[in-house]
Amino acid sequence: MAGDPYKELGVSRGASADEIKKAFRKLAKELHPDKNPGNREADERFKRVTAAFDLLGDAGKRAKFDRGEIDADGREQFRGFGGGARGGPGGNPFGQGGAQRGGFENIDLDELFGGMFGGGARSGGQRGGFAARGADVKATLEISLEDSISGATRRIQFSDGRTLDVTIPKGAADGQVIRLRGQGAPGAAGRSEAGDALITLKLAPHPVFHRDGADLTMDLPVSLPDAVLGGKVPVRTPEGTVSMTIPPGSNSGKVLRLKGRGAFVGGKRGDLLAKLMILLPDSADEGLTRVAQEMRDKGAYRPWRD
């Protein structure tokens, strides 16, 4: 490493062990290779900072360095012989003769980082490994068609008793997965990053609308006068009631289209298709009965004979 380890960490020679650890944690997070891929300058600085903490983070090594018994690379200083030999047990952690592995021999990164880089769990009690990130948890949340189109907030409960409020985005699709960061299983020993919660949205069946891809279909009841004479009738949509014009002489089975009132698929919204159903009054209507009788007597339109 050479140089002054105190300067590498940006602390004074009288800094406490906690101050040294805090300074290293801050620099290591900024310089870690996972956050600086391909940046050789950051990688080299990370190595120097790590080596500095390897020395100052060990009370025994720090005391020897402060007394001048070892240099910044951990090599013993032999007074009167003009410098020490390389390659000993306290050698440069990044040099050719060093016996340490990358300067991490005395650094517990699990403790320092809390698993922030999502590394693997420690093995066999070996120091220097990364704490395991918590596992992701999966759940299914059933939502209404209206929720998927307009957006909403719905609460979900997990098997461990936890409840979460899930924000349903506008235009959510059936089968869409919402990721809630840090809401999964806790990390190893509670010291590393928790996993995520993956919520799969499932559209519940609707009592009025039926999905056909991105389109919605529905049966629209109309009165005989509206079907014969035409007129405007109220139509229910997922976002409220709108007015639709019925053309004169409309028959049952005729399909009218409301553009852009359907469901969402692939980020695109379909149409609402309303199939007309002519309904007669539940109770007898004298006027309607008289007109029907006159039409029959005159041999008026009879579709089964045309």
Side-chain angles (χ1 to χ4, degrees):
M1 178 183 71
D4 188 338
Y6 289 100
K7 290 183 178 180
E8 287 291 349
L9 296 179
V11 297
S12 67
R13 287 183 172 269
S16 66
D18 286 342
E19 289 173 333
I20 290 174
K21 182 183 293 186
K22 183 177 180 180
F24 171 68
R25 183 189 294 115
K26 179 177 182 296
L27 290 171
K29 286 181 178 179
E30 295 174 358
L31 301 170
H32 195 280
D34 287 355
K35 298 186 68 174
N36 299 275
N39 188 333
R40 293 189 60 184
E41 182 178 349
D43 184 60
E44 291 301 318
R45 179 78 195 286
F46 178 73
K47 291 179 180 179
R48 295 198 305 273
V49 166
T50 301
F53 181 73
D54 181 62
L55 189 148
L56 299 182
D58 183 301
K61 288 183 180 180
R62 181 183 181 185
K64 288 184 178 181
F65 175 79
D66 289 345
R67 292 194 299 267
E69 297 175 8
I70 59 175
D71 64 12
D73 290 327
R75 296 188 296 262
E76 293 185 7
Q77 297 296 298
F78 298 98
R79 297 177 181 177
F81 291 91
R86 297 180 178 268
N92 183 355
F94 299 106
Q96 293 180 352
Q100 303 177 45
R101 295 193 300 271
F104 289 99
E105 182 177 354
N106 294 302
I107 303 172
D108 188 345
L109 294 183
D110 284 359
E111 177 183 350
L112 289 167
F113 297 131
M116 65 167 289
F117 299 108
R122 65 173 69 233
S123 174
Q126 181 179 350
R127 296 175 60 86
F130 293 99
R133 177 180 179 275
D136 293 339
V137 297
K138 298 180 179 180
T140 299
L141 176 61
E142 189 173 78
I143 61 173
S144 70
L145 177 65
E146 288 84 355
D147 288 345
S148 73
I149 292 175
S150 300
T153 299
R154 294 290 177 261
R155 180 162 294 181
I156 187 172
Q157 183 170 5
F158 292 95
S159 57
D160 60 4
R162 290 185 304 131
T163 59
L164 288 176
D165 288 333
V166 181
T167 299
I168 312 301
K170 291 184 177 181
D174 185 49
Q176 180 174 334
V177 177
I178 296 178
R179 180 182 293 271
L180 301 178
R181 299 284 183 184
Q183 298 297 333
R191 296 187 299 170
S192 61
E193 180 184 2
D196 301 334
L198 305 178
I199 312 299
T200 300
L201 303 181
K202 180 181 179 182
L203 286 183
H206 199 279
V208 175
F209 308 109
H210 304 277
R211 290 191 298 119
D212 182 10
D215 292 334
L216 296 177
T217 63
M218 64 176 293
D219 292 332
L220 178 64
V222 297
S223 68
L224 182 60
D226 287 333
V228 174
L229 303 175
K232 291 186 177 294
V233 300
V235 181
R236 177 178 175 178
T237 76
E239 295 158 298
T241 301
V242 300
S243 181
M244 173 183 280
T245 299
I246 306 298
S250 294
N251 282 317
S252 285
K254 183 179 181 66
V255 176
L256 301 180
R257 182 184 298 266
L258 284 174
K259 297 286 291 183
R261 295 282 184 169
F264 283 91
V265 172
K268 296 182 179 181
R269 191 169 185 184
D271 303 330
L272 175 58
L273 307 179
K275 182 180 179 181
L276 304 186
M277 297 181 63
I278 300 174
L279 297 182
L280 299 177
D282 291 334
S283 58
D285 182 277
E286 292 183 3
L288 180 58
T289 300
R290 184 173 61 254
V291 170
Q293 186 63 52
E294 290 175 357
M295 291 179 66
R296 175 181 290 177
D297 294 342
K298 293 178 181 179
Y301 170 67
R302 293 179 179 177
W304 63 88
R305 293 195 305 192
D306 291 345

